[in-house]
Amino acid sequence: MQNTTTDSNGVVVQVRDVHGDLHIASSPNGHGSRTPRQVPPLPPHFVDRQEVLGTITQLTHRAHSKGQPALVVLSGIGGIGKTALATTAAHALSEHHPDGQVFLRGGGTSAPVEPGTLLGRGLTALGHAPTDLPRDTEARIGMWRSATAQQRLLVLLDDAATAEQVRCLLPGSGGHTVLATARSRLSPMARDGAAFIDLHPLEDSAAHSLIARLADHAGEGDPAAVSRVAGACHRVPLALVVTASTATRTRASLAEVADRLTALPTFALEASVTEALTTAYRTLSGQARGLYRALACHPPYPWDAPAAAALTGLPLEDAQQALGELVETNLLDQPHLGWYAMHDVVRSHASSLVGAEAATARERLRLHYLTTAIAYDRRINPYRWRILPAALVDQAPEVEATATTALTWFHDRAGTIGELIDEAHTAGHHATAVYLCEALWGYYTHHKPLDTWQATHTAGLAAARATGDAVLQARMLQALGTWAMNSGDADTAHRNYTQARELWVQAEHILGQASVTEALGTVNLTTGNPHQAQQCYREALSLHEHLEQPRGVALARRYLGQAARELHDYGRALELLSMALEWFADNDDSYMVVRCRLQLATTHLYRGDLDEAHTTARSALELATDLDARYEVASCHALLADVAQALTLNHLHAAHTIAHATGAHEWSEALAKQKREVQDTRRNI
């Protein structure tokens, strides 16, 4: 929701009564502002660093005064407060960057994100559709610089792994600021004009202030104990926060906590965080300890309480209680309501404690995400056929969700599911990896995150080949063919579809043969071979009729309608598309209703029936918006623009004819020129 008086965006919650004038409206495009405001909230335990904040501000203003972007790299050990400082600085500088603030995670040295993927996420944040992004990284760099030229954008790259990650995100000309945090100094960025700030432990006064804020009961009247804890933690912010929170939760005195810390053998700067975490861990309840260890097995993305319960096998209520204990001790963060995350240093500590239980925890987690994904995928499209075993489908939980909320579920967990696919394949659970890919199909076809689609299904294909199962291999090849079609690579799509058809035939899977034959028809239609496409669609229709699959018959008729239109048989095209639309509408298959209406509207446009084309396209747009089918929403808008141009040409032609007949030659020539310009634009589109 968007507050129209302040232009701020966020979740709107009414807590009883609202007094005064409050102006709230949904965003015009239905997906929030195109100006990204992605920087996380201000950190709750941030203290001191005022001098460093001032330095960042000075560096930024100095660069901008010279007409140059500002580039600042913050480095230091884990837990020293790099992200908290960068986030605070980003908020302080936000008003100087009205064109948006983009937040990206580099993944650190343990899981570095490819530069091309980072660019894709950045461009998507600026409003570019995934289907518009080039596949080549260099082309994405050019697109990023063009999109950001002459703007004032702030980019925060957290936990950068390499200089290349930062360098690819340098925007085009303008008053930009790029903040990067990293464990290492990223010295190669010097040639890009970077300013380097190495973070050190807090000053004594700031460390004491942070302890007193979090553990006031324990340190009251005992400044010596406060000083001992600060020293034992080497004044490292994360260690201080965890230690003080542990004292508060256990109602222990700071003197007692200091005794525990100083009793540990290692007493060095980087070890101080580990010792603080070990002390905190030992004070946890048994269930919280088990969950803490198990959470090291979750991919490095936020999770919810059901995922935590799955990791441990605990009842949901017990898992929620254990999560609360970990949050109270500041071993977990809550980036959003109902979501939990682990600092990478904390994750590393938890990983050092997990033992043989890890394999069981990971297996439970994979099953949880797989069965839940199956349940949500069925909400997106309950009608499509799937290759999932019946026993697995039976384990899917009942979920209350619309297609839109189901798509949101996948969007929020796409990174986690992608990691689980790679992990399952590596661990030898090849079929599970393929089934996770299969469960993503509805989300991918609606939102089309092309980079993720390619990565997951490439891993899925490798897993399918490891099983030797022809059906699983065919399904992955066909999905990669559809990815290639959406990426504009018809040759790769045709190659993948052809290989998939051979495997479907080998497996004697008639429904698979029908489906991939339709896909091959679409390749032919896209590449300008409507006769070959029509032949493919007729073959698919025959297979669906043989199987007595009414939905398949409706799909084949829709495709045959498209082929008939390209062959200029508009009457037959309208007949076939109307038959398909009727079946999908009668069976509440809303997504296919949208696609049929789009094809009908396009046929009306080709036929010259512009009013009918406009009405049908508008009805398709309304339904696509309700379904959050973003690619179809964009297609509807493009079609409506084409209809509007056709109407414009009709009006210009009529005006030109009258002007010419009445002898208004200058006006007639101007109208003719305008008509040519519109025709050129339509040809370009």
Side-chain angles (χ1 to χ4, degrees):
M1 300 294 283
Q2 184 178 49
N3 182 337
T4 57
T5 59
T6 66
D7 197 36
S8 62
N9 294 280
V11 176
V12 177
V13 181
Q14 179 174 332
V15 187
R16 200 175 174 188
D17 300 321
V18 175
H19 302 280
D21 293 327
L22 184 64
H23 304 282
I24 297 172
S26 61
S27 171
N29 60 20
H31 301 296
S33 172
R34 285 292 187 188
T35 302
R37 310 288 184 193
Q38 296 182 332
V39 175
L42 284 165
H45 305 308
F46 185 78
V47 295
D48 197 30
R49 308 293 196 195
Q50 295 306 314
E51 184 177 344
V52 183
L53 281 171
T55 300
I56 294 172
T57 301
Q58 290 174 6
L59 289 168
T60 300
H61 293 333
R62 188 182 307 154
H64 291 178
S65 67
K66 298 177 182 178
Q68 300 172 347
L71 173 57
V72 180
V73 178
L74 305 174
S75 60
I77 67 167
I80 202 69
K82 301 181 295 295
T83 302
L85 174 60
T87 301
T88 303
H91 279 278
L93 294 169
S94 62
E95 64 182 35
H96 301 291
H97 300 85
D99 295 306
Q101 299 92 46
V102 175
F103 178 79
L104 299 167
R105 298 186 188 276
T109 55
S110 60
V113 181
E114 290 293 327
T117 302
L118 284 174
L119 285 161
R121 293 171 183 172
L123 287 163
T124 302
L126 295 181
H128 292 270
T131 49
D132 294 337
L133 305 184
R135 295 169 61 185
D136 179 68
T137 298
E138 288 300 320
R140 289 189 176 192
I141 290 174
M143 187 176 186
W144 170 257
R145 291 176 182 166
S146 298
T148 56
Q150 305 304 317
Q151 293 191 359
R152 287 182 290 169
L153 187 73
L154 185 144
V155 180
L156 173 50
L157 176 60
D158 189 37
D159 202 11
T162 63
E164 287 71 22
Q165 283 183 329
V166 186
R167 192 170 286 129
C168 79
L169 291 170
L170 297 179
S173 59
H176 305 290
T177 297
V178 178
L179 300 175
T181 71
R183 296 285 184 93
S184 62
R185 204 163 184 261
L186 302 184
S187 298
M189 294 305 302
R191 68 183 177 88
D192 299 283
F196 299 95
I197 298 177
D198 299 320
L199 289 191
H200 302 289
L202 297 173
E203 296 294 331
D204 280 337
S205 58
H208 294 179
S209 173
L210 182 55
I211 295 169
R213 180 193 303 175
L214 291 168
D216 54 350
H217 82 284
E220 188 174 353
D222 193 355
V226 172
S227 182
R228 286 178 63 208
V229 168
C233 293
H234 281 235
R235 306 186 311 282
V236 175
L238 180 59
L240 292 168
V241 168
V242 171
T243 300
S245 300
T246 300
T248 298
R249 185 182 59 80
T250 61
R251 308 305 293 176
S253 70
L254 285 182
E256 292 172 320
V257 174
D259 288 341
R260 293 177 197 161
L261 286 171
T262 53
L264 293 170
T266 309
F267 198 68
L269 179 60
E270 295 208 28
S272 62
V273 177
T274 301
E275 292 170 357
L277 294 171
T278 299
T279 300
Y281 172 76
R282 289 173 177 171
T283 68
L284 296 172
S285 67
Q287 285 188 342
R289 283 190 190 187
L291 179 58
Y292 179 75
R293 296 191 303 271
L295 287 171
C297 301
H298 193 283
Y301 296 92
W303 64 86
D304 56 12
L311 272 167
T312 56
L314 288 171
L316 181 59
E317 186 175 338
D318 290 347
Q320 289 172 325
Q321 185 174 343
L323 286 167
E325 190 174 341
L326 294 172
V327 169
E328 190 178 354
T329 317
N330 271 296
L331 293 171
L332 294 183
D333 299 321
Q334 283 189 287
H336 307 289
L337 184 65
W339 286 90
Y340 303 87
M342 222 176 209
H343 192 286
D344 58 345
V345 176
V346 180
R347 176 182 296 279
S348 178
H349 179 261
S351 296
S352 70
L353 300 174
V354 70
E357 62 198 308
T360 302
R362 290 191 174 98
E363 188 173 346
R364 285 183 182 137
L365 190 70
R366 284 192 294 267
L367 183 61
H368 162 74
Y369 276 107
L370 175 54
T371 55
T372 311
I374 290 170
Y376 279 103
D377 178 55
R378 291 165 72 183
R379 292 293 183 179
I380 296 171
N381 189 342
Y383 306 103
R384 74 174 183 89
W385 66 278
R386 297 166 173 83
I387 59 169
L388 301 168
L392 193 59
V393 174
D394 290 341
Q395 294 182 61
E398 289 294 327
V399 294
E400 294 184 6
T402 63
T404 301
T405 55
L407 288 167
T408 300
W409 187 92
F410 279 103
H411 177 77
D412 291 341
R413 294 161 180 82
T416 293
I417 295 175
E419 291 268 348
L420 291 174
I421 289 169
D422 288 334
E423 182 187 287
H425 173 43
T426 303
H429 299 279
H430 305 301
T432 298
V434 177
Y435 297 147
L436 280 165
C437 289
E438 175 72 358
L440 285 164
W441 181 256
Y443 167 62
Y444 282 174
T445 54
H446 277 67
H447 280 195
K448 294 181 173 56
L450 298 179
D451 284 347
T452 307
W453 189 340
Q454 180 189 23
T456 56
H457 281 69
T458 298
L461 177 58
R465 284 173 171 160
T467 67
D469 188 309
V471 169
L472 300 186
Q473 294 176 67
R475 187 60 175 150
M476 291 298 96
L477 279 165
Q478 187 170 339
L480 281 169
T482 305
W483 160 78
M485 281 297 294
N486 281 282
S487 300
D489 187 351
D491 290 340
T492 298
H494 187 273
R495 183 168 58 253
N496 287 337
Y497 286 148
T498 301
Q499 292 177 27
R501 182 160 66 173
E502 291 171 358
L503 287 164
W504 287 126
V505 171
Q506 176 186 325
E508 298 181 352
H509 196 294
I510 298 176
L511 187 54
Q513 293 175 48
S515 177
V516 78
T517 302
E518 289 167 356
L520 284 165
T522 300
V523 174
N524 281 310
L525 200 64
T526 303
T527 54
N529 299 302
H531 286 289
Q532 290 92 324
Q534 190 177 58
Q535 183 177 344
C536 287
Y537 294 148
R538 284 172 176 165
E539 181 182 340
L541 176 61
S542 176
L543 290 170
H544 285 303
E545 288 176 337
H546 170 73
L547 291 171
E548 297 183 351
Q549 285 275 347
R551 185 174 188 272
V553 169
L555 278 170
R557 284 173 175 164
R558 193 197 90 200
Y559 288 125
L560 280 166
Q562 292 174 233
R565 182 184 66 228
E566 297 306 312
L567 292 168
H568 310 295
D569 189 352
Y570 301 129
R572 180 59 176 160
L574 290 174
E575 178 186 1
L576 287 164
L577 289 168
S578 297
M579 290 169 67
L581 175 61
E582 182 180 4
W583 190 91
F584 290 125
D586 288 345
N587 289 275
D588 297 321
D589 196 338
S590 300
Y591 180 67
M592 285 301 168
V593 168
V594 170
R595 302 196 71 172
C596 284
R597 287 178 182 173
L598 266 170
Q599 296 304 327
L600 279 166
T602 303
T603 306
H604 287 304
L605 172 63
Y606 278 32
R607 199 183 190 190
D609 191 347
L610 301 184
D611 289 339
E612 193 64 35
H614 182 270
T615 300
T616 307
R618 287 295 307 180
S619 68
L621 175 60
E622 290 171 6
L623 183 54
T625 302
D626 290 341
L627 295 174
D628 196 25
R630 299 178 186 178
Y631 184 78
E632 280 66 32
V633 167
S635 298
C636 290
H637 282 299
L639 182 57
L640 284 165
D642 211 8
V643 172
Q645 286 182 326
L647 285 167
T648 299
L649 282 172
N650 285 357
H651 291 305
L652 286 172
H653 179 74
H656 173 260
T657 301
I658 295 171
H660 183 74
T662 57
H665 298 300
E666 290 187 8
W667 187 26
S668 174
E669 290 175 6
L671 289 167
K673 179 182 178 182
Q674 188 176 355
K675 182 179 176 181
R676 287 194 298 272
E677 289 173 350
V678 175
Q679 288 172 325
D680 289 342
T681 301
R682 287 195 72 195
R683 275 194 293 271
N684 289 336
I685 290 174

